[in-house]
Amino acid sequence: MADNSKKTCADALSKVLANAYVLYLKTHNYHWNVEGPNFRSLHLMFEEQYQEMWTALDEIAERIRALGEYAPGTYAKFAELATIKENQTIPAANDMLAELLADNEKIITIIVEAIKVAQDAGDESSVDLLIARQTAHQKAAWMMRSTLA
């Protein structure tokens, strides 16, 4: 793979990493602060999701490094690259669910864009990693959508 293709793939992965980190942090925050009659089930669901994302963050960052680029690793850089935004408030439980659902759907779109970049570059390793991330976020979105139904 050409050096410019590696950089293009690493840039796409960096956007995925930044958005995944913001979503991880938001999910962890909501895990800590959820209240209401569905507390236990939401507390556990959010925990499963943030733990799964935590492992994935490392895999994404290591793939960026394998492509010869530095992985973003500061809050400032994540804020610059991410379209998913923090919520400075603590919403009601169903609002948390709706927001996390929308954020998971947003990151799926970002991942699909990154998959296209990696496919165009012939970077099958990144494609494989990104498809796994897409599947994980689709599952999370399905669980939240089903909980809100």
Side-chain angles (χ1 to χ4, degrees):
M1 183 172 18
D3 285 346
N4 62 338
S5 293
K6 288 181 181 180
K7 173 128 178 55
T8 302
C9 287
D11 289 347
L13 285 164
S14 292
K15 289 178 185 171
V16 172
L17 178 62
N19 281 285
Y21 197 93
V22 173
L23 181 55
Y24 156 80
L25 189 60
K26 185 185 286 189
T27 305
H28 207 155
N29 178 28
Y30 290 174
H31 160 79
W32 288 329
N33 292 300
V34 68
E35 297 178 316
N38 295 323
F39 164 78
R40 179 120 177 101
S41 62
L42 293 177
H43 183 75
L44 293 173
M45 179 172 45
F46 295 161
E47 181 175 21
E48 289 172 7
Q49 290 173 356
Y50 81 71
Q51 286 180 345
E52 190 279 334
M53 280 187 273
W54 180 251
T55 301
L57 292 169
D58 196 52
E59 293 170 2
I60 298 165
E62 288 178 355
R63 182 66 196 146
I64 294 166
R65 293 297 295 134
L67 291 168
E69 299 294 328
Y70 290 109
T74 65
Y75 289 114
K77 193 65 175 174
F78 289 150
E80 175 188 324
L81 292 170
T83 55
I84 294 173
K85 299 301 177 197
E86 293 179 312
N87 185 340
Q88 298 299 319
T89 68
I90 303 297
N94 276 356
D95 294 334
M96 287 178 178
L97 272 170
E99 188 175 332
L100 291 175
L101 171 57
D103 289 342
N104 273 274
E105 289 173 340
K106 187 180 289 184
I107 201 167
I108 290 166
T109 301
I110 295 163
I111 290 168
V112 167
E113 292 170 8
I115 289 170
K116 290 176 189 169
V117 169
Q119 286 172 330
D120 289 347
D123 182 0
E124 295 304 316
S125 295
S126 292
V127 170
D128 183 56
L129 179 141
L130 290 163
I131 289 172
R133 298 310 317 135
Q134 179 184 20
T135 301
H137 289 288
Q138 286 171 335
K139 181 178 179 181
W142 158 61
M143 292 193 166
M144 287 182 271
R145 198 175 300 109
S146 295
T147 302
L148 284 168

